[in-house]
Amino acid sequence: MDRFEALAALLAQRCGTLEVRNEEPMSRHTTFRIGGPAALMALPRTAGEAKAAVRAARELDIRPFFLGNGSNLLVPDEGYRGFVVKLCGLDQTREVNRRLWAESGISLARLANAALGRGLAGLEFAHGIPGTLGGGVMMNAGAYGGELSQTVTAVTYLDREGEEHTIPAAGCEFGYRSSIFARHPDWLILKAEFSLPQGDPEEIREKIQELARRRGEKQPLEYPSAGSMFKRPEGHFAAALIDQCGLKGLTVGGAQVSEKHAGFVINRGGATCADVLALVDQVRERVLRETGVTLEREVRLLG
Ligand SMILES: Cc1cc2nc3c(=O)[nH]c(=O)nc-3n(C[C@H](O)[C@H](O)[C@H](O)COP(=O)(O)OP(=O)(O)OC[C@H]3O[C@@H](n4cnc5c(N)ncnc54)[C@H](O)[C@@H]3O)c2cc1C
């Protein structure tokens, strides 16, 4: 029995309700539609199941990888010989003492709709970001002047032993596309609390629609991608630098620098992880040579 078979057996024994899949193609779980199989994947639907997954992995000394919607992720073509815990099933919201709480697997679109449904403003910016709350907190996702750090007041997570902790936003060390969770990849974000002002539902809805329209105009949403490939370099915009170097449309295999938005690398069909990484290397090299600016990848590479 290999270690993943042993883990699957332990999970079946400890938590019979937890869904577990062997050799699950990661291309089904990334917005890039790229990636070979994960040795083992668990798909918890409750915090108890998530805890059982973390604790069983710890017992066998296997480090889990926590997956949201895979919208900021590149997975190697040969796959991932590891244990993936996908959190999309953990997606409930509730209101406690006039504060909104949401579980980490909820999509940011559903979270924004849940706020809208309660007449709460401040999450309109998040509606078009195709990730989960967990991935969003970890990356401090943001758009159009908003960032999750502006509305999150507390985060509950499991440490690597499976112990639960709740920390205030001040302890989350939020920065540009970063948080304390980015420095602790073995902490599983379970849920977050928000402080949101009351707003006019009609205005909130209109703002969501207006931002969706702006996104649709600027971004190549018709192709699989992982959004902006590079972080914003200090004092510059990655897309403007790439465009300035004449790199729109540059192609390696099935991967291409989008003609519509130079900051996006798109999968034009059949792109491999190797295609994307080769293209990223070419872009970084040309931008550095021609502008002196070093681009840093925002999209995470699994493994
Ligand atoms: C078309 C498109 C547009 C985008 N636009 C934006 C944008 O405007 N602004 C922006 O900020 N981003 C944008 N993104 C990028 C992406 O959607 C965000 O970074 C998002 O927050 C990632 O969430 P996810 O659930 O998909 O995370 P994943 O890609 O699944 O994971 C990202 C990281 O978060 C970790 N993680 C996920 N869930 C948890 C958890 N529960 N606990 C601990 N760690 C966890 C993972 O381990 C991984 O390291 C865009 C992407 C696409 C494809």
Side-chain angles (χ1 to χ4, degrees), residues 17-19 21 29 41-50 67-69 85-93 102-107 110 132-134 188-190:
T17 55
L18 176 63
E19 185 183 350
R21 298 183 193 165
H29 301 276
M41 179 183 284
L43 298 103
R45 299 203 155 267
T46 63
E49 288 184 352
L67 177 67
N69 196 38
V85 179
K86 175 162 177 168
L87 294 149
C88 289
L90 206 68
D91 62 355
Q92 300 302 304
T93 56
E103 290 185 320
S104 62
I106 194 170
S107 71
R110 262 194 61 206
T132 61
L133 174 57
L188 164 59
I189 300 163
L190 275 182

Side-chain angles (χ1 to χ4, degrees), residues 31 65-73 87 104-105 108 128-143 177 181 185 187-190 215 219 221 225-228 264 298 300:
T31 54
F65 175 78
F66 304 122
L67 177 67
N69 196 38
S71 64
N72 196 42
L73 198 64
L87 294 149
S104 62
L108 290 169
I129 302 177
T132 61
L133 174 57
V137 167
M138 144 95 172
M139 298 291 297
N140 188 18
R177 299 295 171 266
F181 303 100
W187 290 359
L188 164 59
I189 300 163
L190 275 182
R215 240 177 223 280
Q219 300 183 357
L221 302 180
S225 79
S228 297
F264 278 52
E298 177 174 318
R300 295 177 163 249

Side-chain angles (χ1 to χ4, degrees), residues 3-131:
R3 51 209 296 262
F4 299 112
E5 285 166 351
L7 178 56
L10 186 60
L11 287 170
Q13 182 197 333
R14 293 275 170 80
C15 189
T17 55
L18 176 63
E19 185 183 350
V20 173
R21 298 183 193 165
N22 294 303
E23 300 299 332
E24 177 69 7
M26 287 293 286
S27 54
R28 288 190 193 150
H29 301 276
T30 60
T31 54
F32 240 140
R33 299 283 167 256
I34 290 174
L40 195 69
M41 179 183 284
L43 298 103
R45 299 203 155 267
T46 63
E49 288 184 352
K51 222 174 261 186
V54 168
R55 288 188 175 160
R58 178 79 185 109
E59 243 172 80
L60 298 186
D61 209 18
I62 292 174
R63 179 174 262 212
F65 175 78
F66 304 122
L67 177 67
N69 196 38
S71 64
N72 196 42
L73 198 64
L74 247 178
V75 179
D77 304 310
E78 58 277 18
Y80 177 61
R81 301 321 296 160
F83 176 44
V84 173
V85 179
K86 175 162 177 168
L87 294 149
C88 289
L90 206 68
D91 62 355
Q92 300 302 304
T93 56
R94 67 197 162 94
E95 224 171 306
V96 183
N97 299 332
R98 303 185 55 82
R99 289 280 169 97
L100 181 65
W101 276 93
E103 290 185 320
S104 62
I106 194 170
S107 71
L108 290 169
R110 262 194 61 206
L111 174 65
N113 285 336
L116 164 63
R118 292 171 165 88
L120 298 172
L123 285 174
E124 298 88 335
F125 77 91
H127 190 275
I129 302 177

